[in-house]
Amino acid sequence: MATGKINVSVENIFPLIKKFLYSDHEIFLRELISNATDATLKLKHLSSLGEANVEYGNPTIEVKVNEENNTLHIIDQGIGMTKEEVKKYINEVAFSGAEEFLDKYKDSAKDSGIIGHFGLGFYSAFMVANKVEILTKSHKDEPAAHWICEGTTEFTLEDAEKSTHGTEVILHINDEDKEFLKESRIQELLVKYNKFMPIPIKFGTREETLPLPEDAKEDAKPETKTVDNIINNPNPAWTKQPTDLEEKDYNDFYKELYPMQFEDPLFHIHLNVDYPFNLTGILYFPRMAQDMNIQKDKIQLYQNQVYVTDNVEGIVPEFLTMLRGVIDSPDIPLNVSRSYLQADGAVKKISSYITRKVADKLKSLFNNNREDFEKKWNDIKIVIEYGMLSEDKFFEKADKFALYPTTENEFFTFEELKEAIKDNQTDKDDKLVVLYASNKDEQHSYIQAAKDKGYKVLMLDSPIVSHLLQKLETTHENISFVRVDSDHVDNLIKTDDEKISKLSDEEKEQLKGDFEKVIPAEKYTIQMEAMDSTAAPLIITQPEFMRRMKEMQQTGGGGMFGMGNMPEMYNLVVNTNHELINNILNTKTEKKQQRLIKQSLDLARLSQNLLKGEELTDFIKRSFDMVK
């Protein structure tokens, strides 16, 4: 029997492992199963080269809990280790030896799936165990070895009896980590981290109902048989070629990824590239509508089918993190705990590739079936608009397929829109004015007034629309976006035509003074405007620039304009050609005049959804009194 000290560069690595190496103790199981997978894949590779002394067969990795003995066992049928290899790979903290193996077989092992990057994985066992044993037998014709360590740098290593090749790791679980002796907890972790590992993982057994034979009697009861409980799918959809999959396969895999999702995704994007980096995966567009909240069903990152994290920031462009699915790449550099990305040029290339693939897929959908694309627009527009804002390369591509729907449910690309409105919506300075609404019901009267003029009104209601309009105005020349309720209809598109007011300048000044006595100056700027006599007597508008800056600040960005603490300011446009305004001017008593002004103002506020609470209650009571 050999004894000795583990060769590490610190006096005692174990307290460091327990405290600092991993933020979450539960990942020890992922690390050990990753090592077992490595060992199995190495044997597969050596078998394919004719260099293994044993048959590869149909190996599994088995996980067993022995609650009575306080032990957890991870057993593989892989390459195994000799005594010398245990000394080298365990005692010298050379870890799984995957990098050395890959180096030796670098040409033929390139696509073997061996994990390679993951160091220190074995020692994570000491986060939950006060004693760890390794019982291992190499595929070479050499005795088995038994290694024991109790969480210090001391170990023992001796020959052992083991009839089959492979490795069994036995963890003697700490008293404070007894949760890892519960079958339900281990099942949960296996599903979380190892659901798609490339080697079948057995965890106990289960009963399987056998189908009844065709000639079975009506009251016959189906028989059951005991089978291995394999918790993973070793061949998930993203590891297959797109030509081998149908729409149903993609939708079934979506539900396998997210068991609580009952709706099919809108469409998928299959990622498959091997140069200049290796990346596979499937991204799904779910139905999103206006939901920009961070969802619980996120994109999952894998390395060679080993779950790493669902924090894909940096790999997936931010605007695509609202999608769902899987990305798998051995070329993504991770730090020692495998949970965080490290800054790297490859990551930027991967991010650019994903952006391009998504843009190409959307363009293809638009070109091949525009009608279907239009139907899905409301469910995908948030992602596309966010992408146009945040990624210039995506903007260039999306400018060809991003849609601009009108309140009449017509859909235009940007170029089509310009062509459709240029004759009727070009102002006196030769600038194209795009009118839009954000709420069809609340802005109904404004939309109707614009339609009566023959204008087209876009329906732009996503939460980031203010940012997007700013981007479009700076990217395209001679164009401005104006919300349909930002001014009265005659002022939305400035022309050389001027309406003549029925009131003289003196009467307008007098009227303005009467309104200023009633209406708070800190909230409203009063404008006397000559409009059609059929237009509303009072219109409340909010200047486009002011409102847009406030909206941008509320959704992030725009704080630089210092709009955050400014009070709400509105324009009150008084139609000097309306009969009611003429009546207010000529009302004999001040009390009646002020009541008419207040009532008219509240009606205008009501149309803009600005009348609430106590003021709304007072308005309703006053209105009933006037009816009486």
Side-chain angles (χ1 to χ4, degrees):
M1 179 176 78
T3 62
K5 282 199 172 187
I6 295 168
N7 180 17
V8 291
S9 58
V10 291
E11 176 56 32
N12 193 338
I13 196 173
F14 300 104
L16 292 176
I17 288 170
K18 292 190 178 190
K19 284 186 181 177
F20 305 119
L21 183 57
Y22 297 96
S23 56
D24 199 339
H25 283 194
E26 68 180 34
I27 58 79
F28 80 92
L29 191 58
R30 175 189 71 185
E31 300 295 323
L32 294 177
I33 289 179
S34 295
N35 286 348
T37 302
D38 259 359
T40 310
L41 291 173
K42 285 177 191 172
L43 183 64
K44 181 180 183 181
H45 189 67
L46 291 179
S47 297
S48 71
L49 298 176
E51 292 190 22
N53 296 327
V54 294
E55 280 190 26
Y56 179 68
N58 295 299
T60 60
I61 295 167
E62 184 174 8
V63 180
K64 293 198 296 191
V65 172
N66 188 327
E67 199 168 354
E68 193 176 320
N69 292 340
N70 288 343
T71 56
L72 179 67
H73 304 245
I74 294 93
I75 306 160
D76 70 59
Q77 298 161 19
I79 195 170
M81 288 182 282
T82 65
K83 213 184 217 181
E84 288 306 309
E85 287 168 338
V86 171
K87 285 180 188 176
K88 182 173 183 180
Y89 296 135
I90 303 298
N91 297 340
E92 294 181 10
V93 194
F95 321 131
S96 65
E99 291 188 18
E100 182 181 313
F101 184 89
L102 285 172
D103 190 51
K104 182 177 177 182
Y105 297 98
K106 56 187 167 198
D107 294 326
S108 61
K110 179 171 174 278
D111 300 315
S112 64
I114 293 162
I115 292 160
H117 303 301
F118 301 159
L120 282 180
F122 168 72
Y123 280 92
S124 66
F126 287 96
M127 293 191 300
V128 298
N130 52 41
K131 176 180 170 184
V132 177
E133 299 180 59
I134 299 173
L135 183 59
T136 182
K137 179 173 173 58
S138 171
H139 69 102
K140 303 168 187 172
D141 188 20
E142 293 198 30
H146 188 194
W147 180 91
I148 303 171
C149 179
E150 298 193 13
T152 71
T153 52
E154 306 289 333
F155 70 89
T156 62
L157 177 61
E158 58 187 350
D159 289 344
E161 289 298 318
K162 189 177 188 303
S163 57
T164 56
H165 61 90
T167 300
E168 178 174 5
V169 178
I170 305 161
L171 281 66
H172 297 259
I173 301 296
N174 299 324
D175 287 342
E176 62 269 27
D177 291 299
K178 290 287 180 69
E179 63 178 293
F180 300 115
L181 292 171
K182 300 292 181 191
E183 289 195 355
S184 58
R185 178 70 168 128
I186 297 300
Q187 172 86 14
E188 175 197 340
L189 294 180
L190 290 173
V191 169
K192 178 178 178 179
Y193 290 113
N194 306 106
K195 190 157 81 169
F196 300 113
M197 292 289 279
I199 307 298
I201 299 167
K202 176 187 174 185
F203 184 56
T205 58
R206 60 184 174 82
E207 294 298 309
E208 188 175 88
T209 303
L210 298 172
L212 286 168
E214 288 183 12
D215 58 350
K217 295 179 181 177
E218 275 189 36
D219 58 348
K221 291 184 179 178
E223 293 184 10
T224 61
K225 68 171 180 176
T226 302
V227 296
D228 289 345
N229 180 35
I230 303 298
I231 61 93
N232 61 321
N233 172 4
N235 301 297
W238 84 82
T239 64
K240 300 173 183 175
Q241 290 299 316
T243 49
D244 297 333
L245 297 167
E246 296 180 357
E247 192 68 23
K248 184 179 184 304
D249 299 316
Y250 285 108
N251 290 343
D252 288 348
F253 179 61
Y254 180 73
K255 296 196 173 85
E256 191 178 349
L257 271 177
Y258 309 112
M260 299 310 291
Q261 285 295 334
F262 303 111
E263 269 191 320
D264 285 340
L266 293 166
F267 52 85
H268 65 268
I269 299 165
H270 198 128
L271 307 170
N272 193 349
V273 63
D274 55 17
Y275 182 82
F277 48 80
N278 194 294
L279 177 90
T280 53
I282 302 170
L283 295 180
Y284 293 95
F285 267 75
R287 295 184 185 277
M288 278 175 291
Q290 301 297 323
D291 185 13
M292 282 190 75
N293 296 328
I294 295 172
Q295 64 211 352
K296 61 181 176 62
D297 292 331
K298 299 178 184 177
I299 295 171
Q300 298 172 13
L301 174 64
Y302 288 75
Q303 273 201 351
N304 294 312
Q305 297 175 238
V306 182
Y307 175 82
V308 176
T309 181
D310 61 6
N311 177 14
V312 292
E313 185 181 345
I315 307 168
V316 176
E318 190 179 355
F319 77 97
L320 294 176
T321 55
M322 291 179 276
L323 304 188
R324 296 181 182 141
V326 166
I327 288 171
D328 190 332
S329 174
D331 294 333
I332 294 173
L334 302 168
N335 70 6
V336 74
S337 71
R338 260 199 256 184
S339 300
Y340 302 99
L341 282 174
Q342 293 178 338
D344 186 87
V347 172
K348 287 182 181 174
K349 288 178 186 171
I350 288 170
S351 180
S352 296
Y353 165 77
I354 292 170
T355 300
R356 190 176 76 250
K357 283 290 287 187
V358 170
D360 290 347
K361 175 74 174 187
L362 291 166
K363 183 75 167 69
S364 165
L365 290 168
F366 173 79
N367 288 342
N368 295 337
N369 191 341
R370 176 160 176 170
E371 186 181 350
D372 186 58
F373 192 80
E374 289 177 0
K375 284 177 187 172
K376 290 172 177 170
W377 178 252
N378 271 341
D379 284 307
I380 63 177
K381 66 184 178 188
I382 289 267
V383 173
I384 295 172
E385 290 171 356
Y386 190 10
M388 291 171 73
L389 269 174
S390 57
E391 301 270 341
D392 286 339
K393 286 184 179 174
F394 184 79
F395 181 91
E396 289 168 20
K397 288 177 176 281
D399 216 21
K400 305 289 190 296
F401 58 74
L403 292 177
Y404 299 87
T406 70
T407 53
E408 299 295 290
N409 219 28
E410 302 168 285
F411 288 85
F412 297 100
T413 64
F414 198 79
E415 289 302 314
E416 291 167 351
L417 176 67
K418 289 198 296 185
E419 191 63 31
I421 67 173
K422 68 179 183 183
D423 292 338
N424 206 27
Q425 290 178 223
T426 301
D427 69 11
K428 62 181 182 178
D429 299 319
D430 213 28
K431 184 178 269 195
L432 205 60
V433 179
V434 183
L435 301 180
Y436 71 98
S438 59
N439 188 306
K440 205 170 179 178
D441 293 331
E442 289 179 9
Q443 294 154 5
H444 180 268
S445 62
Y446 299 91
I447 295 167
Q448 192 58 49
K451 279 165 57 180
D452 291 344
K453 288 269 189 184
Y455 300 152
K456 289 191 183 296
V457 181
L458 298 186
M459 190 69 229
L460 304 177
D461 57 0
S462 67
I464 56 173
V465 73
S466 299
H467 299 270
L468 180 62
L469 299 187
Q470 206 78 359
K471 172 92 173 178
L472 289 166
E473 286 171 345
T474 54
T475 308
H476 298 279
E477 292 182 356
N478 280 335
I479 195 156
S480 67
F481 285 80
V482 178
R483 204 167 84 176
V484 73
D485 60 346
S486 63
D487 209 331
H488 73 80
V489 70
D490 292 334
N491 273 355
L492 291 173
I493 300 171
K494 298 277 196 286
T495 65
D496 291 322
D497 298 332
E498 272 195 45
K499 286 274 188 301
I500 298 169
S501 176
K502 292 178 181 178
L503 302 183
S504 66
D505 289 345
E506 291 80 10
E507 287 172 321
K508 284 194 278 189
E509 279 302 311
Q510 181 188 332
L511 188 63
K512 188 174 183 183
D514 293 337
F515 270 82
E516 285 172 346
K517 290 177 189 174
V518 180
I519 292 169
E522 67 274 10
K523 280 193 176 181
Y524 296 96
T525 301
I526 298 167
Q527 297 172 210
M528 297 289 149
E529 296 274 358
M531 296 186 272
D532 287 337
S533 58
T534 54
L538 295 182
I539 299 174
I540 293 173
T541 65
Q542 192 171 19
E544 177 75 17
F545 174 80
M546 176 89 68
R547 192 208 66 256
R548 201 189 289 184
M549 289 305 108
K550 287 185 76 68
E551 288 173 352
M552 287 172 70
Q553 202 239 5
Q554 286 163 7
T555 53
M560 58 189 162
F561 295 100
M563 312 298 285
N565 299 319
M566 289 189 67
E568 292 283 349
M569 282 294 295
Y570 298 94
N571 292 332
L572 179 66
V573 184
V574 180
N575 182 0
T576 60
N577 288 340
H578 197 281
E579 187 180 355
L580 174 61
I581 300 305
N582 191 50
N583 290 343
I584 289 173
L585 176 66
N586 296 314
T587 298
K588 301 300 180 193
T589 66
E590 187 176 358
K591 186 177 180 183
K592 183 181 179 184
Q593 184 187 56
Q594 290 185 358
R595 192 170 79 246
L596 281 172
I597 291 172
K598 186 163 179 52
Q599 187 73 2
S600 302
L601 174 66
D602 283 351
L603 281 165
R605 292 172 71 200
L606 192 65
S607 74
Q608 276 281 49
N609 203 29
L610 294 172
L611 199 60
K612 295 173 183 174
E614 187 178 346
E615 290 180 322
L616 178 59
T617 305
D618 291 344
F619 166 75
I620 294 169
K621 185 175 182 299
R622 188 185 339 118
S623 299
F624 279 129
D625 289 342
M626 290 174 77
V627 173
K628 285 191 296 187

